[in-house]
Amino acid sequence: MTAKMVSGNEAIALGALRAGVKVVSGYPGTPSTEVITSLWNKDLPGTSVEWSTNEKVAFEVAAASAMVGSRAMCTMKMSGVNVAYDSIIGIAYSGCTGGLVIYVADDPGVNAGMCEQDSRDFAVMADMPMLEPGTLQEAYDLTQYAFELSEAIQSPVFIRSTTNVAQSHGMADVAERVLPVNEKPMLERNIAKYTKAGAVIAMNQHRELLERLEKAKELIAAKQLNRLKLSKQPGGLGIVSVGVVNGYVEEALSIADELRIPLPEISSLQLINTIPFAVDEMKQLLKHCSTVLVAEELEPLLENRLYMEAYKLGVKVEFVGKNDATFSRIGEYDAKLVLKGICKALHLTCPEEVLPPVIQPEQHCAARPITTCAGCPHRGTYMAINKALRNLKFKSNEIIVTGDIGCTILGINPPFNTLWTEVSMGASIPMAQGFIYGGVQKPVLATIGDSTFFHAGIPGLINAIQHNVNLTVVVMDNGWTAMTGMQVNPGTIPDYQQASCRQLDLEKVIAGLGVDHLITVDPYDLKATTAAIEKSIALPGVKVVLARRECAIQAARRKVAYEPIEVNIEKCTRCKSCIVITGCPAISLGEHAITIDRAQCNGCGLCMAVCPTAAIVKEGK
Amino acid sequence: MSCDIYIVGVGGQGVLTIAEIISSVAFKKGIPCNFYPTKGMAQRGGFVKAQLRLGRKTVGPNIPQQEADLVVSMELSESLKAIRYVKPGADFLLYGSKWEPTAVMLGKASYPALAQVGKEVKAAGGKLHYLSPELLPEFQGKQVRDNLFVLGAIFGSTGVAMGFTAEEVLEDITHRWPKAAEQNLFALRAGMNAAAKEAVDDILV
């Protein structure tokens, strides 16, 4: 073992390597992405690592590898579980042979956008164990244990982290990778296990599933992974916590010490997982304590279970947690919040230092809506959509433009203010159809990025084509899964695909579906892109405008040459058109003229296209 | 010894680089350290913060309100988001660079004045150290990286005890970027010397 500086996600990756993982698949999504990026382009003979088309595909790839005996893991953010769940629950009922681990990262406090969902509820529904590391060391250790547990119960196992664990960096003791066991794949044609053919099979699987979860509970208890500490005197306070909150509880006790808050001896149950419920340990604590404080982020899963166990035991315990509104189901925790709960549970007056200050200086903070990077091709597309709608004499509040997930969603923000909706991967096209079915008479547009289109956009477009909807879809192809930090997708150029992988041509894919009209444009060409959108809106049927240009960040990284832009100070009238229309972060308003930050500018030329005095020009021209 | 540091700024300023250097030096010294960056969509000029928790074995990643032993802000307006975290009496290093959002540039939105930010820091009990971006020096005709300049200022102006010295940070930086060692050391030293020169009360007028 050597101490290494790792992030939570890296610890998960290293834990899987230590466990001899043979297949790692996933789809990028903050805060889970770095598990696979930390393995990307590493020399790992015997192990396949891939970014799959979507989370469901990633899970199915991993699941079947585990069916034939390999250890396999797939990774995703919480929203990805929603996508993969149809297969996850199916495989949970079937079980597996090799260790099968699903890593999901939740985001209490919403650092990265999307729903603040508690994925533990998915473990409840599929009766699957879900381990919840609260430290980097636990992330490493529990990942290895997840594979062991999965093989011991012959069922997939979740690992769930939260943003603050996944993204934290610190020390962990890690060991060398263990090579995957390269035995002959175990072929087993077992209809009763691997299909859902008939009620008998399906209900048998349900029974076995419940038995497997029960077995997991016993194994975790036998390994004493959950830490139960009872006070010498019965009665008094017990604290139940799980995952990252375990650390906040300990910290809360040390703050209490510093503030000289007189605390009696406290019992505690620190859990490494919610599901399967550690019922035996819960019962011991409930029999011992008169008050129980439950500290868990998001939904009150442990708390509700503890109420039930107390009822079954017939013990009278006072609960402090979410049901009495001490804690919120929204946002992430910290030590002072937990300490506030401890004070309440002990009927102590909470010292002023523990309560949040009444000052709210951040209300005076300048709003900083994020926009597309300098040189982003999406800027050209949104400028063109807005211009096309103006040219066609539409008002901005009468044309619905649906948005989708990824960098393209920046079209909701100023200066574009183009998009109306953001729901889930691929939702833009079916929603546009729904608006039309709902009676919207004016044209409806859908926008979607390349990776999102491959992920879940294609079925929606097929649906629109089949049902002959009059719809304009703008597919913004920058060649990368960019928002999550530049991962490859099926459309990424071959140079960046893994060896033996190839690129799919998005234009051929769309044409192959049979859309009525397809126009491919370069979004740096504002005139042509505007004209293509205008033309598409006027045409009948399903029209796709494919706006293609590589992500500026990636183009710059691989040193794609461009012509720098400069400002003719004599001609610039400081009319601000370039700033108002493009919102490009490279442009700022100088005293005598606008200035362009050469470090950011990549010469896209969109500001030139909107300058009314031709003051912005390509350098030397 | 424990030391909690809360750093804020805007994507592109090097908030995370500062935090990474501190955590790397701590790691080499065997000081327990948890570094929790929150970058959101930082690459695109958004809000960035880093929480560093040094010297504690068991700790949650989030610094509770009024518990930071040191707050560092690299952007004037974003400073306001960090104020509630400063421990009364603890250091608040404010590097006053301004990254004005477009709406502010166009005169459509307001941007907080330095005096206003200073007052808020003081009201929260923070010990304000102001570092003017005008002090950012040039090295061979080019302005130095302000993240290293600010990192230097942490050592020059604040009394925060991280468990290591500026010299050990210099060493880390030298190994990290051997080719740019000379200019980086220059930037760090400039920060150390520039700090504490400003009369804090002047900015509150």
Side-chain angles (χ1 to χ4, degrees):
Chain A
M1 291 288 224
T2 46
K4 197 174 179 232
M5 187 93 175
V6 292
S7 72
N9 281 333
E10 205 180 346
I12 305 262
L14 293 172
L17 289 182
R18 177 69 183 168
V21 72
K22 193 174 165 73
V23 176
V24 184
S25 54
Y27 187 80
T30 313
S32 70
T33 312
E34 297 81 9
V35 174
I36 290 187
T37 51
S38 71
L39 300 174
W40 198 251
N41 287 337
K42 294 264 161 66
D43 185 28
L44 298 170
T47 300
S48 311
V49 179
E50 75 165 43
W51 285 123
S52 310
T53 322
N54 65 36
E55 294 86 352
K56 184 168 180 287
V57 171
F59 174 71
E60 287 148 358
V61 168
S65 311
M67 262 188 199
V68 290
S70 308
R71 286 191 163 183
M73 178 166 82
C74 68
T75 74
M76 59 198 70
K77 71 185 288 179
M78 69 290 176
S79 323
V81 186
N82 306 347
V83 175
Y85 200 67
D86 198 5
S87 287
I88 292 176
I89 196 164
I91 292 291
Y93 273 64
S94 289
C96 59
T97 305
L100 177 59
V101 173
I102 304 152
Y103 171 60
V104 53
D106 277 2
D107 189 24
V110 194
N111 293 284
M114 297 319 290
C115 302
E116 196 185 32
Q117 70 183 44
D118 189 334
S119 297
R120 293 180 302 167
D121 276 310
F122 277 123
V124 174
M125 185 158 54
D127 293 296
M128 278 170 65
M130 181 180 259
L131 306 178
E132 299 165 63
T135 65
L136 304 180
Q137 191 65 52
E138 277 182 359
Y140 181 72
D141 296 340
L142 288 180
T143 302
Q144 294 169 67
Y145 179 62
F147 284 100
E148 263 175 55
L149 182 65
S150 170
E151 279 171 11
I153 63 168
Q154 294 284 286
S155 204
V157 170
F158 276 115
I159 296 174
R160 170 194 185 250
S161 77
T162 48
T163 306
N164 47 24
V165 176
Q167 304 284 328
S168 274
H169 299 247
M171 272 176 267
D173 287 323
V174 300
E176 289 293 297
R177 170 187 185 216
V178 170
L179 283 171
V181 181
N182 209 5
E183 280 168 9
K184 225 176 129 193
M186 288 177 257
L187 302 185
E188 182 193 10
R189 183 174 185 274
N190 186 342
I191 300 301
K193 187 174 178 186
Y194 292 123
T195 77
K196 304 281 180 279
V200 175
I201 285 180
M203 285 195 290
N204 275 341
Q205 286 184 8
H206 196 180
R207 184 176 309 111
E208 286 160 12
L209 170 70
L210 298 176
E211 287 165 7
R212 289 196 292 266
L213 187 66
E214 186 62 21
K215 189 177 174 192
K217 188 194 82 181
E218 284 160 17
L219 290 170
I220 293 168
K223 217 169 154 73
Q224 294 184 322
L225 291 171
N226 294 316
R227 302 176 289 269
L228 175 68
K229 209 182 85 204
L230 298 179
S231 58
K232 286 187 204 85
Q233 295 292 324
L237 173 65
I239 303 175
V240 180
S241 56
V242 64
V244 73
V245 184
N246 292 335
Y248 293 133
V249 171
E250 296 205 7
E251 193 186 330
L253 296 175
S254 74
I255 294 176
D257 202 36
E258 284 163 29
L259 295 175
R260 297 172 197 281
I261 304 173
L263 297 183
E265 199 195 350
I266 293 171
S267 304
S268 63
L269 175 56
Q270 297 197 341
L271 299 162
I272 53 99
N273 69 306
T274 304
I275 314 298
F277 289 111
V279 175
D280 297 338
E281 294 91 329
M282 284 180 174
K283 281 182 182 164
Q284 288 185 58
L285 189 84
L286 288 167
K287 284 187 209 159
H288 188 80
C289 299
S290 56
T291 306
V292 168
L293 173 83
V294 192
E296 59 185 321
E297 289 174 325
L298 300 179
E299 303 305 325
L301 266 69
L302 287 167
E303 187 178 332
N304 291 352
R305 183 67 188 216
L306 282 155
Y307 269 92
M308 188 179 104
E309 294 301 333
Y311 178 81
K312 280 161 72 182
L313 283 173
V315 293
K316 200 171 153 28
V317 173
E318 188 195 341
F319 285 102
V320 179
K322 293 179 204 278
N323 284 294
D324 68 339
T326 299
F327 295 135
S328 172
R329 287 165 61 182
I330 302 162
E332 53 182 343
Y333 284 12
D334 65 35
K336 280 193 172 169
L337 182 81
V338 175
L339 184 52
K340 223 174 82 182
I342 294 173
C343 289
K344 187 174 172 188
L346 291 168
H347 305 289
L348 292 171
T349 315
C350 197
E352 214 176 285
E353 291 96 322
V354 178
L355 302 166
V358 276
I359 49 159
Q360 284 182 317
E362 52 269 37
Q363 64 190 346
H364 305 296
C365 199
R368 204 175 287 283
I370 49 167
T371 187
T372 49
C373 306
C376 176
H378 302 336
R379 171 171 290 106
T381 308
Y382 283 117
M383 285 166 62
I385 293 174
N386 289 351
K387 191 157 199 309
L389 295 179
R390 266 199 312 278
N391 289 351
L392 294 168
K393 308 277 183 254
F394 290 119
K395 294 193 190 89
S396 62
N397 62 359
E398 62 181 6
I399 300 298
I400 298 177
V401 185
T402 61
D404 222 307
I405 310 293
C407 288
T408 60
I409 200 58
L410 294 171
I412 55 174
N413 279 346
F416 317 119
N417 302 312
T418 309
L419 301 178
W420 292 43
T421 62
E422 177 189 20
V423 178
S424 66
M425 295 289 283
S428 56
I429 302 171
M431 289 197 57
Q433 180 183 340
F435 284 122
I436 294 163
Y437 278 21
V440 176
Q441 298 292 322
K442 296 266 165 60
V444 179
L445 281 77
T447 64
I448 185 167
D450 50 336
S451 192
T452 311
F453 183 75
F454 282 118
H455 178 289
I458 294 173
L461 184 56
I462 290 175
N463 194 64
I465 296 166
Q466 183 203 351
H467 295 95
N468 263 317
V469 183
N470 187 343
L471 178 65
T472 303
V473 180
V474 183
V475 180
M476 297 148 87
D477 179 11
N478 68 359
W480 292 91
T481 306
M483 188 63 116
T484 43
M486 311 302 167
Q487 288 77 39
V488 300
N489 70 49
T492 306
I493 50 172
D495 298 9
Y496 289 85
Q497 296 284 348
Q498 285 172 301
S500 85
C501 293
R502 59 177 170 169
Q503 177 192 15
L504 271 75
D505 183 351
L506 194 50
E507 191 175 37
K508 282 187 191 156
V509 172
I510 295 168
L513 296 176
V515 295
D516 295 299
H517 302 279
L518 170 62
I519 309 175
T520 301
V521 288
D522 175 1
Y524 282 177
D525 186 343
L526 187 62
K527 222 169 152 184
T529 308
T530 308
I533 292 165
E534 271 184 61
K535 187 178 166 195
S536 295
I537 290 172
L539 287 166
V542 178
K543 297 89 48 167
V544 174
V545 175
L546 177 59
R548 300 190 105 164
R549 170 63 81 154
E550 186 178 18
C551 168
I553 303 269
Q554 283 305 89
R557 280 182 189 162
R558 59 190 197 92
K559 309 217 185 310
V560 172
Y562 64 90
E563 293 173 278
I565 302 282
E566 65 181 5
V567 183
N568 183 331
I569 300 168
E570 309 291 303
K571 284 189 180 171
C572 177
T573 61
R574 288 178 92 247
C575 73
K576 304 176 196 167
S577 290
C578 52
I579 297 173
V580 174
I581 300 171
T582 71
C584 176
I587 308 176
S588 53
L589 195 58
E591 247 173 73
H592 305 293
I594 58 126
T595 59
I596 296 177
D597 176 7
R598 297 193 58 147
Q600 288 192 66
C601 175
N602 80 333
C604 75
L606 287 165
C607 52
M608 285 169 56
V610 298
C611 178
T613 58
I616 309 175
V617 289
K618 294 267 180 192
E619 204 173 87
K621 284 186 186 167
Chain B
M1 189 252 6
S2 75
C3 179
D4 293 335
I5 308 174
Y6 200 94
I7 313 176
V8 296
V10 170
Q13 287 192 296
V15 166
L16 302 184
T17 309
I18 292 179
E20 209 184 295
I21 293 168
I22 293 173
S23 60
S24 145
V25 179
F27 173 69
K28 283 183 213 150
K29 298 274 292 180
I31 300 166
C33 172
N34 193 81
F35 158 39
Y36 173 30
T38 304
K39 47 188 183 241
M41 281 145 276
Q43 194 174 31
R44 295 155 186 91
F47 173 60
V48 187
K49 69 177 181 199
Q51 303 185 65
L52 283 160
R53 313 206 70 181
L54 300 164
R56 299 180 201 241
K57 276 235 154 65
T58 310
V59 77
N62 286 331
I63 299 174
Q65 293 188 29
Q66 294 189 311
E67 281 294 313
D69 301 291
L70 168 66
V71 171
V72 180
S73 171
M74 295 195 65
E75 205 276 342
L76 182 61
S77 174
E78 298 304 328
S79 309
L80 294 166
K81 290 184 185 157
I83 289 174
R84 61 165 67 223
Y85 293 95
V86 68
K87 191 185 267 182
D91 293 307
F92 194 114
L93 175 62
L94 167 57
Y95 178 61
S97 76
K98 290 184 186 179
W99 285 42
E100 291 185 353
T102 308
V104 173
M105 212 194 298
L106 297 175
K108 289 181 186 163
S110 63
Y111 187 92
L114 178 55
Q116 188 187 353
V117 175
K119 268 187 198 136
E120 296 274 12
V121 173
K122 287 204 149 185
K127 206 164 108 198
L128 184 64
H129 304 270
Y130 177 67
L131 182 65
S132 167
E134 284 166 20
L135 298 177
L136 190 70
E138 288 185 350
F139 180 81
Q140 294 174 355
K142 258 182 89 179
Q143 280 209 321
V144 299
R145 293 286 307 275
D146 44 12
N147 51 8
L148 296 177
F149 181 65
V150 173
L151 179 58
I154 294 175
F155 286 92
S157 70
T158 72
V160 70
M162 288 188 258
F164 45 85
T165 61
E167 289 307 310
E168 286 165 297
V169 174
L170 284 169
E171 205 176 302
D172 181 272
I173 292 169
T174 310
H175 282 116
R176 192 178 285 262
W177 300 291
K179 279 186 196 158
E182 201 186 337
Q183 69 190 72
N184 287 341
L185 298 192
F186 174 81
L188 195 92
R189 288 223 166 87
M192 289 170 69
N193 296 332
K197 273 189 190 162
E198 300 274 320
V200 170
D201 286 335
D202 290 355
I203 68 165
L204 299 176
V205 177

